[in-house]
């Protein structure tokens, strides 16, 4: 079954999906394998792998380790075209639509596309939007773009609608890795209702209660990175999964 359909099935069956983000650049190899092997048993629905910077020369080898260790879908969450790897099921084909930097709107995509085709990866076109989250984040710095102000829900809504009209399949509201503040719930609700696309929410989500509120607000997928990246806290992973899988809004 195509990757995008698998993800939609997760949303359909569980109300929302839990994406675990692993940064192959920052996490030790043994830990990457451990966490990838165990994630499915503790309720993770897919592994996202990527980074806003890649300094390690062994990125591809690390991706291969992750892919070998799990039967979950492995989805590349690329910081640049240099992160296309054949050791994955697909790739979030991101365009940083909240910014106006042509490099991240189209240039990296042009560079990465031929390799995605050659490797047979499934691209999932995704409108990637940075949301202000209290302090400068790596992705804001690296992309040289301004985030959408937290209170400017209307700006986020029209960007997401444009993503839909451009043919994108999902929208990712990103507060940034390790953000002080996660994306505001009101923004998640307004964006998901207005644009009609599944909304991924990530950045700064620190506990199951916050995840639960974001799902209740309308998030289709929740991304957790930092909180699970450096320690094997499988109890926390499992609580997070339960919160994500039991909080979907009931649309009457
Ligand atoms: C970052 O949205 C992801 O791109 C996850 O953020 O590391 O803060 O969980 P955290």
């Amino acid at each position: 079954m195509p990757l995008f359909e698998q993800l939609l099935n997760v949303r359909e069956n569980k109300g929302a999906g839990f994406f675990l983000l692993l940064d192959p650049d920052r996490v030790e190899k043994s830990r990457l394998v451990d966490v990838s092997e165990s994630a499915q048993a503790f309720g993770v629905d897919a592994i996202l792998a990527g980074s806003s910077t890649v300094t390690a020369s062994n990125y591809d080898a690390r991706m291969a380790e992750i892919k070998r260790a799990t039967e979950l879908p492995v989805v590349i969450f690329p910081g640049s075209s240099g992160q296309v790897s054949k050791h994955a099921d697909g790739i979030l084909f991101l365009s940083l639509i909240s910014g106006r930097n042509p490099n991240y709107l189209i240039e990296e995509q042009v560079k990465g596309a031929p390799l995605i085709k050659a490797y047979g990866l499934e691209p999932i076109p995704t409108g990637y939007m940075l949301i202000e989250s209290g302090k400068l984040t790596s992705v804001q710095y690296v992309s040289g773009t301004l985030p959408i102000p937290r209170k400017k829900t209307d700006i986020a809504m029209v960007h997401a609608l444009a993503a839909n009209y451009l043919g994108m399949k999902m929208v990712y509201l990103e507060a940034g890795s390790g953000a002080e503040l996660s994306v505001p719930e009101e923004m998640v609700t307004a964006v998901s209702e207005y644009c009609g696309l599944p909304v991924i929410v990530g950045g700064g989500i620190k506990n199951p209660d916050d995840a639960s509120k974001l799902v209740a607000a309308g998030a289709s997928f929740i991304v957790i990175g930092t909180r699970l990246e450096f320690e094997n806290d499988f109890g926390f992973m499992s609580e997070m999964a339960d919160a994500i899988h039991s909080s979907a809004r009931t649309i009457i």
Side-chain angles (χ1 to χ4, degrees):
M1 183 191 299
L3 174 63
F4 185 57
E5 217 174 302
Q6 285 181 52
L7 300 181
L8 290 183
N9 279 350
V10 166
R11 183 177 74 152
E12 170 98 17
N13 297 330
K14 300 184 179 178
F18 177 8
F19 293 166
L20 175 68
L21 173 63
L22 297 176
D23 184 336
D25 207 23
R26 293 202 302 185
V27 183
E28 286 300 309
K29 178 181 155 186
S30 58
R31 177 149 167 66
L32 274 182
V33 171
D34 257 19
V35 78
S36 304
E37 275 174 351
S38 313
Q40 188 164 20
F42 292 97
V44 170
D45 298 303
I47 292 182
L48 294 192
S51 169
S52 48
T53 50
V54 164
T55 48
S57 52
N58 50 7
Y59 173 79
D60 208 51
R62 293 270 169 94
M63 288 298 299
E65 298 287 348
I66 296 174
K67 184 77 183 104
R68 251 198 304 276
T70 184
E71 284 174 13
L72 286 172
V74 174
V75 186
I76 301 169
F77 171 49
S80 71
S81 54
Q83 291 178 35
V84 179
S85 164
K86 59 179 172 298
H87 306 293
D89 298 288
I91 181 164
L92 293 184
F93 199 65
L94 303 174
S95 182
L96 180 51
I97 58 170
S98 58
R100 298 296 180 267
N101 179 346
N103 193 45
Y104 294 100
L105 280 167
I106 183 62
E107 188 160 349
E108 290 297 319
Q109 291 77 354
V110 172
K111 287 185 196 158
L115 215 45
I116 291 172
K117 185 175 171 72
Y119 291 158
L121 293 170
E122 180 180 330
I124 303 178
T126 301
Y128 190 51
M129 296 165 54
L130 306 187
I131 311 301
E132 184 193 355
S133 58
K135 61 171 191 207
L136 183 69
T137 64
S138 303
V139 61
Q140 289 164 25
Y141 178 76
V142 171
S143 68
T145 66
L146 289 172
I148 295 176
R150 302 180 62 72
K151 298 233 166 10
K152 300 289 183 187
T153 301
D154 51 340
I155 298 182
M157 288 163 69
V158 292
H159 278 75
L161 185 63
N164 186 353
Y165 291 170
L166 282 166
M168 294 175 181
K169 293 185 174 163
M170 298 209 276
V171 162
Y172 191 141
L173 298 180
E174 171 71 277
S177 186
E180 276 176 15
L181 306 167
S182 53
V183 175
E185 289 151 43
E186 314 78 74
M187 187 180 275
V188 173
T189 303
V191 165
S192 63
E193 285 177 356
Y194 190 65
C195 78
L197 294 174
V199 175
I200 306 171
V201 181
I205 302 170
K206 298 175 186 74
N207 57 61
D209 194 42
D210 290 349
S212 167
K213 286 181 185 152
L214 289 163
V215 171
S220 291
F221 301 99
I222 295 287
V223 184
I224 305 293
T226 308
R227 182 58 182 78
L228 283 165
E229 210 167 51
F230 298 106
E231 51 169 328
N232 278 339
D233 191 345
F234 292 120
F236 179 85
M237 192 182 282
S238 181
E239 283 169 31
M240 194 52 105
D242 288 346
I244 292 168
H245 295 148
S246 62
S247 307
R249 317 173 84 189
T250 326
I251 298 163
I252 303 164

